[in-house]
Amino acid sequence: MNGHDMSTPPTMSRRTFLQAAAAGLTIASLPGGFSDAAAVSTGPRSLVCIFLAGGADTFNMYVPLRHTEPGQRHDTYSATRGHFAVPRRSLLPVGDGSFGLHPALPGLAKIASSTRTGFATVSNLGPLAVPIDKADYRAGRDVPQSLFAHDAQQKLWQTARSTLTSDHGWGASIQQAVAANADVSPSFSVNGTNAWQSAAGSTYASLSPNAPVARLRGYDASLRGWIPSFEGVESVMRTSIRAAEASRNVLDQAAGRVLQQSIDTTTALEAATGSGADDEIGMGDLANDPLALQLRVVARLVKNRQALGMNRQIFFVRMGGWDTHRNQVALFPQLLGQLDRSLASFQTSLDGMGVANSVTTFTATDFGRTLTINGDGTDHGWGGHAFILGGAVRSGEYGVTPSYATVNNPDDVGDRFDDFAGRLIPTTSVAQYGATLARWMGLDDHQLDDAFPDLANFDRRDLGFL
Amino acid sequence: MTPISPPAYEHATRIRCGGGPITEVDAARFLTQATFGATVDTIAELQELGTYEAWIDAQLALPQSLTRPYTVENSNGSNRGPRHQIFWRNAVSGPDQLRQRLAMAWSELFVVSDIDYELRLAQYAISGYYDMLGEHATRTFREMLEAVTLSPVMGIYLSMLRNERADPERNVRPDENFAREVLQLFTIGLDELRPNGTPRKRKGKPIATFDQHTVEQFARVFTGWNLDGAAWVSNDLTKFDKESPMVAVAEFHDTGLKELLGASTPHGASAEQDLNAALDDIVAHSNVGPFIARHLIQRLVTSNPSPRYVRRVGEVFDDDGSGRRGDLAAVTRAVLLDREARSGHLTKPRTFGKIKEPIMRLTQLWRAFDVQPGPASDGVLKTPPKVVDQLDDLLGQAVLRSPSVFNFFLPDHSLDSDSGLVAPELAIHTDINVASTNNLLFDSIHESNNTTPAGQYATASRISIDREVALAADPADLVDHLDLLLLSGSMPEAMRLALVEHLSSLPDTPDGRIQRALDAVYCTIASPLHLVQK
C-alpha cells in the first residue's frame, strides 16, 4: 500500500515547517512530499540504534497525561501499575502536554522542548507480521514465534520479522541498499555482534569503546624499529591467511576471513580517526559511563565520516540492565538517568559539530514489560514504546496509544490475573518503524519491501516521524 | 561421595577411540581439548601414561584448585581483581587442568555475571559459585542443578531470591525470570529434541518444549526462598550471607497445585517439596541428555558434532552404565573419548573443530612457554597495559563476567550465511577483539626479550623462549616444534615453507637465533590457524 496515511497528523514543529517552506513545498503537499524531498537529499546521514537490552519498561518512560479515551487516562494507568505508576505531577510534559516523560529523563525533556532537535514517540510497538487481535492471539493465528524470550525477541526486533528463520537484519538491509560498495563497511557496532547488522555478504565493524583502534602488530609498519624483520613477518602472516582461506576446513576458512577483516578494518579506522581532538566531540564528563563511551565512539566516527568517505553510516550501541524483574523502583530511575545523560551529552556533541540534522537516533528493545507487576519488578511483555530524536525528526506522538487497563483491555493478551495479564499486543509493527527510518536513509519503495516483507500487511508504510 | 569406579565408564570405553600408542599429535590435540593448553611436559606425561582413560582418572582424582580462599584473603568483597588473578593462576599452572576446564565450561551454561551490580559486591560468593561448579563437574547433573538453584548468587542474578507467591490485591505475580531461563538456557532449550540433538518437527516446524503457561507454573514453584538469616524485606543485601544455600520461608510460598513439564505437584506441598519435585521433573525430560551433551561437546571439542556423537554422549547422560542419570564425570569421559573427538579431524576434515575462546589463546601461550609472574608483581600475572582482571577489555571475555545470562556467545551463532553450521565463539571475535588479542600475544612474546624491564614492565609476566632459541639453529626443527605445541600439528604446508624460509633468512648468531625464536612463536600464534582447535 502506497502513500502515507496521515490520519493522525504529527505535531508540526516550527523548524520542519520552515524547512519545508524553504524547499518550496506547500503545506498541503507536506505529508508525503516532505519525506520524499528528504530522501532525495544527498548530504551524509547517520542512523544510530540504541538497543535497550533486557526488555525495557518503556511504558514508564513516557506516560499519557491528557489522553481522555477510556484505558488511556492517567488514572487508569496509575491503577494498573500500582506503586510503579509515575504520578501526574512528577511527569515532565512534552510538546502539547498530552504525554509526559519520566522525571528521570530531564535531558530528553529539554531536547523534546527545543526547536532544534525533534523528539518523537511511537507507542506500543513490537514484532508483528500482520495486525492481530486478542481472538487471533488466543487461537494462535499469526502470533510471532517465541514471544517473551529475550534472545528470540531481540532477533525479531532486529530482523523485523515474526519468525526466527531470517538471519538478515534490517540495519544490514539499509547498508546493502545505500552503501553496498564501500571499501570499509560504514556499519559499526560498538557493542558486539547483533542480528540487526548481520546478513549474508555484508560485514560490519565491531569496535570496542574501551580499547583504542590499533592496528595488528605484525601488520603495522610503524613497528619496524621493534621488529627488525618486519617485512618477513608480514609476508609469513599473509601466507598463513591465504593458507587458512584455502583450507578445506570451514573453521580455518572462517578464521582466515576474521583475521583479514580485522586487519582491513583497523588499518582503515586508524588511518582515518587517529587520536584526534576530543574537544570537538566532548562527552568527556561521562567518560566512565558504558553507554556514553559507546556514543562517543559514534560521535567520533560521525565527525570523520567524510574523511572515511561515508555518505551513510549505521551504528549499533547497547545498554544493558533493563530486565527489571526485581528492585525496579530503585533500578529503573538509575537506568533512565544513565540513558538520559548519555543521550543528552551525545546530542550536545552532535549539535556542536553542526550535524544534528543528519543524525537520527532511535530506541529498540527486546519487548515492553508487563503493565502489572510481580511485587518488586515486572516481567516480559510484548508491545512497548520507543522514541526517536534528531534534527530531522518531526516531533510528536506516533502509533496508536494503547489501553493501560487491566480489565476489558482489547490490547492485552489476557484478562486480569489470568494467563498473560499485562502483556500488550503491539498496535504498530517493527516493520513499519524500521521502514520509516530506512526510508530516511534513502531506501526506495522496492528496497523497503525487500527489507521489510511484512510491510505490505499494514496500511501505513511510513509512520511519519521523519 | 564415593568416587566413580571403573564400571561407570566402561560404557564410554565401549566407544572405540582408536588403538595403538598415543602419538605426539594425538596428545597435543587431546590436551587442547581437555586442558588450558598443551606443554612439552604434559604431552610427554600423557604419552607415558599410555591411555586417555588413565589420564582422565588421574586428573579427576586430583584435589580441586579453588578460587574462594585466595579471593577471601585478597579481596575486601567488592574488589574484583583477586578472583580473576586466581582464575588465571589456576588455569595456567593448576595441576587439575581438566576440572579447571570443566569449571569454565559449566560457568558458560549456568551463567551468572558480576556485571550485575549486586553481585559485583559479592566477590566471595561468586568465587564460591565458581568453585561449586568445578566441584560438581564430577557429581550428577541433578545435584549441580540443585546447587545452582539454591545458590544466592543465582537467586540474585535471576531474581528467584525473595520471589513471592501471587497477591492480587497488590497486583503482584511471581517473578518468571529464573523459571524461564532454567528451562530455556540451563536444561531443555526451546525445542523438543531427538536423542541425537536434532529438533523434532511437526508439519515441518519445531515443537516448543514449553509455553508461557509452563513458565508461570514454574514461577509459582520457585517462590518463598530467602538468604539464610535475613528478613524477608531489606534493601541492602551486602551484609547478609550470600553463600549458604537459600532457605524456604513458608509464608511466601505458593502451595497450590502446579503443572510442570511431565508431572504435577500436589496441592499443599512445601517450598522444599515443590522445588525437589520441579528439579526432578526438569531433569527427567528427554531433552536434557542431548542438550547437555551438545553443550559440553561445543565447549571442549567441536562446534558441529555429528548427531550420532551427540546421541552417544546423550545416552551416557541417560545411563552411565550403572543406571545413574546425569553422571557428569561419565559424560565428560564420553565427550573426550568418543571416536569423533579423537579422530574427527581425519574423519570429518571439512567441518570438525571449533574456534578457540580468547582466554584459551593466552593460556596456551603462557602454559606452553612457562610464564612466570614479574619480579615486582607479588605473584600476580600481568601483561602491560592490563592486569589480568582487566583483560576482558582486550580479550572480550572473563569468567563469570558475561554481558548477560546468554554468555559471551550463543550456541547457535552461525558460521556463515549458507552452510547451516555454527561457530559460537566467532561472535566474540570482533574486529577489535581479534586485533587487541593479537597485540596482547605479541606484547607478551616480545616481553620475554626485554632485558631491562622498568616501570610497569617490572611487574609484567614473562614467558621463556630459551628452549626455542636453542632449537632456532635449525628453523625446520623449530617450526615443527611450535606446530606441535601451538597448532597440534595442523600447520598448512604453504605456511610452514614460508616460515622456515623467513627464519632461515635471519642470521644464525646469538641475536639472530633470538629473533628467529620470537618471529617463529609470533607467526605461529598470530596465524589464523591458532584461532582454530581441531
Side-chain angles (χ1 to χ4, degrees), chain B residues 478-479 482 486 491 499 502-503 515-525:
Chain B
L478 175 56
V479 172
L482 292 174
L486 295 174
M491 187 181 290
L499 184 51
H502 167 66
L503 299 178
Q515 199 53 54
R516 287 180 177 187
L518 290 170
D519 285 0
V521 174
Y522 175 68
C523 285
T524 306
I525 208 167

Side-chain angles (χ1 to χ4, degrees), chain B residues 309-383:
Chain B
Y309 182 15
V310 174
R311 188 171 73 193
R312 289 192 290 265
V313 176
E315 283 170 355
V316 173
F317 182 98
D318 289 346
D319 184 345
D320 65 356
S322 69
R324 207 141 48 136
R325 182 169 177 75
D327 175 347
L328 295 178
V331 171
T332 302
R333 288 185 176 93
V335 167
L336 290 172
L337 299 175
D338 191 275
R339 58 179 175 265
E340 189 152 318
R342 300 296 19 97
S343 46
H345 62 307
L346 301 172
T347 57
K348 296 180 191 316
R350 195 180 73 88
T351 59
F352 180 80
K354 67 190 283 290
I355 302 287
K356 287 177 192 161
E357 296 186 56
I359 286 178
M360 265 294 285
R361 297 188 70 201
L362 184 56
T363 58
Q364 264 197 289
L365 177 76
W366 278 355
R367 279 180 59 74
F369 302 101
D370 193 31
V371 72
Q372 297 299 323
S377 69
D378 276 341
V380 172
L381 291 169
K382 178 184 187 301
T383 178

